[in-house]
Amino acid sequence: MAKKGGRDILTRSQLNAGDEYFELTCTRCSKKNKNKQSVKYCATCKQYFCKDCLEIHDDFHSSAGHVLVDTDSRILSSRNSGRHIKIVPTELCKEHPMEVVNMYCKDDDNVGCHVCFALHHRSCTGVEYIPRYVQEHDPTPIIDRINRKLTTSLKNIGALKTANDERERDLEKSKADCEREINQYRREINDVIDKIEKQTLAELETEYSNRKQYNTDQNLKIQKMKSDMKRFQDGIVSEQVNLAQKFVLAMIGRKLVEQSETMKSRSTEEQTSTFKFSRDTNILNFLLNIFTLGMLSSPGNQNTMETASRSKQTKQPTSITTTTASKTTTSTTTTSGATGSNIGTGTVRVVKQQSKKQGLYKVVNQSRYNMVQSDDSYTCNILSSCVTNNGDIVLLDTNNYKIKLVDSKTYNIISSLLCDALPWSVCNISSTEVVVCLLNKTIQFVSTCNNLVVTRSLSMKHKCRCITVSRDRMYICDDTSLYIYKMNGTLINTIKENKSGDKIFSHIRDITISDDHNMIHIVDYDKSVITLDMNGKICWEFSGEVLDGAYGVCTDGSGNVIVCGYMSHNVIMLGHNGDYKGEIVTQQDGVSDPHTVCFDVTQNKLYVGCEFDDNITVFTLE
């Protein structure tokens, strides 16, 4: 008895002479070395069944719906071997899983089930029933040709699988190498920070020691002078000292008095008892303007690539200038894209070096772009907007309860998100996220990667009319108050009155942070522009006929403040200290009832959204 795979296989010569030989035997019986004629083939189980085994098969609930093919169909003679085989297709149709592929279309050179052919091949003339077709036409050459192609493709796909496995191993290794390099770089940065800290503390210790030594020396001088003055005074009042000696002591004592007055005056002018540390804000400002410790690149590819969460555009070194009263420092940082979940390349966004804009911007180009989507029910009403780190624009269409992400190159809507409540205000907070205020006292953090997706929400106890974010703090306003929160929603401070107890605000409409992160600009519909320091003290205010119904506010990256007037139908420019520079655009430029303005510092473009207007207006400035 022959064996295959450890199991006995009966050959035909070993069967009893009285046993009948069947070509298509029951699969289940064959495993038990029984020779029984199959009556059905289950295209789902891929097995033949005799009458008895078929009853068992049908008894199982899991077998319900299996496709059974009759094996008692016509027996044809193979042209090559002369053996009798069943011409019964058993492959199930992918489009109609309950049907067997048994039809062939010569016109399209394709196969399918009878349902496919009833739906898609009604006009075809070369339709054949496969069992009849293979009886009348020898398909062996076609089968052999395709089989050879399959053999070649199997080799190719096997090689591709091997190469892909190798790439995966290389990818894992490169990730581990990058992690080690990032960790090492972080340690080096920590070492530098530690060194700077030690140097700063050493300077503190030196200054402290010098001032303490100065005080010690002064105390010795004071003590000696005090002792001399006491000795001279005792001699002057003593009855045992003659008059001439008293006169000498008095004259010398007068000089001591003069010296003590001079010492007191000099001590007040030259030396204070305490000192304080002033931060070098350029360091923190620089760190706040970078997003990663470096760049990812592929060998042999000049294009740099970001990590998966920041993959829409590549990063390039850029210059950011920080100006202080005493000096200007230029630092190099990177700008990252905001959308995409796979590593990829795109148009490089270069942040130009910013310089202080002294004069009024002039419009050099103007265009309008439609922001309507097919499922919008009403005219658009763009109430708030912001520019993401990769230059795309986020719009709040309150009339349609939507957040819309717009490509800044084509001005096509990339993605939109339907909100549960009316969206009121939006602010960019990172290269992949914005934060949105909703009418139902909710703050939503929304990812801008590929599609707009809400990542988390915070419920507030007050109305959230507008929002801005700076240095891990959220600044949220209702109509009359400013609330300062940590990013986790913990309330830090509430500002609504001045020191006299008078209300600062009346009808707040928008808020932004100054470019140096030291001031808060708030626009009030009635009071125009109110600017506070970070402690809530009013720095300056601006109002006048030129700005009627202040509604939206932004900054230009160089300290200036840009505000739109709803009733005055214009956009004006103020200096960092509140001085009026002029109107950038007016109603003659197509601005009517503006609600929002935002500024792209890399392209000098101003985006304006107006009430009940399906378009945004884009102004290119110089």
Side-chain angles (χ1 to χ4, degrees):
M1 183 179 295
K3 289 188 177 182
K4 184 177 182 181
R7 188 178 65 193
D8 295 336
I9 304 297
L10 292 175
T11 64
R12 186 171 184 179
S13 61
Q14 293 171 309
L15 293 172
N16 293 332
D19 291 341
E20 185 179 2
Y21 177 78
F22 302 109
E23 186 68 31
L24 296 179
T25 59
C26 174
T27 305
R28 188 166 178 269
C29 292
S30 296
K31 293 179 179 180
K32 300 178 181 180
N33 295 330
K34 296 180 180 180
N35 182 33
K36 298 184 68 175
Q37 171 69 49
S38 66
V39 294
K40 295 285 184 180
Y41 175 80
C42 179
T44 307
C45 298
K46 306 294 184 184
Q47 291 184 352
Y48 291 93
F49 291 93
C50 65
K51 184 177 180 180
D52 296 335
C53 293
L54 182 62
E55 292 179 358
I56 299 174
H57 171 273
D58 292 341
D59 285 342
F60 288 100
H61 177 72
S62 59
S63 301
H66 285 201
V67 178
L68 298 173
V69 179
D70 190 0
T71 58
D72 291 333
S73 60
R74 191 173 180 179
I75 299 179
L76 302 176
S77 177
S78 170
R79 288 178 171 80
N80 296 328
S81 63
R83 297 172 57 195
H84 293 286
I85 59 174
K86 300 290 183 178
I87 306 301
V88 181
T90 59
E91 189 68 25
L92 294 180
C93 179
K94 291 183 178 180
E95 187 174 352
H96 308 99
M98 301 301 293
E99 304 295 335
V100 175
V101 176
N102 57 6
M103 303 298 292
Y104 171 61
C105 178
K106 292 189 289 185
D107 296 352
D108 298 332
D109 193 24
N110 200 2
V111 296
C113 69
H114 69 277
V115 178
C116 291
F117 274 62
L119 295 174
H120 309 303
H121 295 267
R122 292 181 180 179
S123 60
C124 298
T125 58
V127 175
E128 296 277 358
Y129 179 55
I130 291 177
R132 183 178 298 279
Y133 177 79
V134 297
Q135 177 186 6
E136 298 175 353
H137 305 84
D138 184 8
T140 304
I142 298 175
I143 296 172
D144 291 343
R145 183 172 66 253
I146 296 176
N147 186 45
R148 288 193 296 271
K149 290 183 178 180
L150 285 172
T151 300
T152 303
S153 297
L154 280 171
K155 292 180 180 178
N156 293 338
I157 203 69
L160 181 62
K161 178 64 167 57
T162 301
N164 199 54
D165 290 343
E166 185 175 352
R167 279 196 296 269
E168 187 171 347
R169 289 192 295 270
D170 292 342
L171 179 63
E172 294 295 330
K173 182 179 181 300
S174 65
K175 177 178 179 290
D177 292 341
C178 287
E179 287 178 345
R180 284 193 295 271
E181 181 62 25
I182 291 170
N183 292 334
Q184 176 60 31
Y185 189 35
R186 172 61 188 271
R187 286 192 292 270
E188 292 175 5
I189 293 174
N190 288 346
D191 291 343
V192 172
I193 297 296
D194 290 343
K195 184 177 180 181
I196 294 173
E197 181 186 15
K198 289 179 181 178
Q199 180 63 30
T200 307
L201 291 174
E203 291 181 2
L204 171 64
E205 187 63 34
T206 300
E207 184 68 18
Y208 169 77
S209 299
N210 291 340
R211 295 195 180 202
K212 186 173 183 180
Q213 184 61 46
Y214 177 85
N215 288 338
T216 300
D217 294 342
Q218 288 296 100
N219 282 336
L220 291 175
K221 291 179 181 180
I222 292 170
Q223 187 64 32
K224 184 177 183 305
M225 183 174 291
K226 181 180 178 181
S227 177
D228 291 342
M229 293 173 69
K230 184 68 170 64
R231 181 170 64 85
F232 292 152
Q233 187 180 41
D234 290 344
I236 291 173
V237 300
S238 175
E239 297 179 354
Q240 300 178 357
V241 177
N242 61 56
L243 188 59
Q245 177 65 13
K246 288 185 179 181
F247 176 75
V248 171
L249 293 177
M251 297 302 292
I252 297 175
R254 185 177 65 181
K255 290 184 177 180
L256 290 177
V257 171
E258 293 174 354
Q259 291 176 3
S260 68
E261 293 295 331
T262 301
M263 181 182 294
K264 179 181 178 182
S265 175
R266 185 176 298 171
S267 176
T268 302
E269 294 176 358
E270 295 181 355
Q271 191 71 24
T272 59
S273 59
T274 61
F275 52 87
K276 67 178 183 178
F277 172 73
S278 297
R279 297 181 180 184
D280 184 350
T281 58
N282 292 330
I283 298 173
L284 183 58
N285 287 339
F286 171 72
L287 293 175
L288 288 171
N289 282 291
I290 62 175
F291 307 102
T292 62
L293 293 178
M295 294 179 290
L296 299 179
S297 61
S298 296
N301 189 347
Q302 294 181 351
N303 291 325
T304 56
M305 297 190 298
E306 291 191 75
T307 56
S309 63
R310 302 178 181 182
S311 62
K312 183 177 181 182
Q313 295 184 331
T314 58
K315 299 192 297 181
Q316 285 286 335
T318 59
S319 295
I320 293 179
T321 301
T322 304
T323 305
T324 62
S326 59
K327 63 180 180 178
T328 299
T329 59
T330 301
S331 56
T332 300
T333 184
T334 56
T335 300
S336 58
T339 62
S341 58
N342 298 315
I343 291 179
T345 59
T347 304
V348 175
R349 174 176 169 84
V350 178
V351 178
K352 300 176 182 178
Q353 180 170 326
Q354 297 293 317
S355 58
K356 290 291 182 182
K357 176 68 177 177
Q358 300 297 331
L360 180 67
Y361 285 107
K362 295 181 180 179
V363 176
V364 297
N365 188 37
Q366 173 183 346
S367 54
R368 285 167 61 81
Y369 297 94
N370 190 279
M371 294 293 110
V372 176
Q373 289 185 292
S374 59
D375 59 346
D376 286 349
S377 301
Y378 306 99
T379 302
C380 295
N381 186 25
I382 309 300
L383 189 63
S384 181
S385 60
C386 70
V387 178
T388 66
N389 286 12
N390 74 323
D392 290 335
I393 312 145
V394 178
L395 306 175
L396 298 191
D397 181 359
T398 58
N399 227 23
N400 292 292
Y401 284 65
K402 280 186 179 181
I403 306 170
K404 297 179 178 180
L405 179 63
V406 181
D407 188 289
S408 60
K409 298 294 187 292
T410 63
Y411 297 101
N412 293 326
I413 297 176
I414 303 170
S415 175
S416 66
L417 176 65
L418 186 64
C419 300
D420 296 332
L422 186 147
W424 256 351
S425 179
V426 61
C427 174
N428 181 53
I429 58 175
S430 74
S431 56
T432 58
E433 196 172 37
V434 297
V435 61
V436 178
C437 286
L438 300 181
L439 178 63
N440 60 356
K441 300 181 181 179
T442 301
I443 302 297
Q444 288 188 340
F445 295 82
V446 180
S447 170
T448 56
C449 293
N450 287 335
N451 296 318
L452 295 174
V453 178
V454 177
T455 56
R456 63 188 178 100
S457 299
L458 294 174
S459 295
M460 300 297 172
K461 296 181 180 180
H462 56 82
K463 182 165 68 173
C464 303
R465 183 63 183 78
C466 54
I467 186 170
T468 190
V469 176
S470 174
R471 294 176 176 171
D472 294 328
R473 294 290 183 269
M474 294 188 297
Y475 300 83
I476 305 172
C477 295
D478 57 15
D479 289 331
T480 59
S481 302
L482 166 63
Y483 304 90
I484 304 175
Y485 288 91
K486 293 182 180 180
M487 295 303 289
N488 62 2
T490 302
L491 181 63
I492 300 174
N493 193 14
T494 301
I495 300 169
K496 56 183 177 181
E497 297 176 344
N498 58 23
K499 291 184 178 180
S500 302
D502 300 325
K503 291 185 179 297
I504 301 175
F505 313 108
S506 174
H507 292 89
I508 297 174
R509 287 296 173 262
D510 202 2
I511 183 173
T512 192
I513 298 295
S514 63
D515 293 319
D516 61 5
H517 297 271
N518 291 328
M519 293 186 292
I520 309 165
H521 303 300
I522 298 176
V523 293
D524 189 295
Y525 191 84
D526 297 328
K527 299 184 177 182
S528 294
V529 185
I530 303 169
T531 295
L532 313 175
D533 64 18
M534 305 313 285
N535 296 317
K537 180 181 178 181
I538 296 177
C539 299
W540 55 263
E541 297 178 82
F542 175 88
S543 62
E545 293 182 358
V546 71
L547 184 64
D548 188 3
Y551 222 100
V553 64
C554 66
T555 58
D556 68 344
S558 58
N560 299 302
V561 184
I562 298 173
V563 188
C564 66
Y566 176 78
M567 296 297 293
S568 52
H569 310 292
N570 61 352
V571 177
I572 71 167
M573 178 176 173
L574 306 175
H576 69 280
N577 58 356
D579 56 309
Y580 175 64
K581 296 194 174 185
E583 291 179 301
I584 301 176
V585 295
T586 65
Q587 193 168 15
Q588 285 70 34
D589 298 304
V591 173
S592 180
D593 305 327
H595 272 166
T596 180
V597 287
C598 61
F599 191 85
D600 187 339
V601 298
T602 66
Q603 302 184 74
N604 272 8
K605 286 187 176 181
L606 180 70
Y607 304 106
V608 181
C610 298
E611 183 179 43
F612 300 121
D613 191 342
D614 288 332
N615 303 283
I616 60 167
T617 307
V618 181
F619 298 95
T620 303
L621 309 178
E622 68 174 8

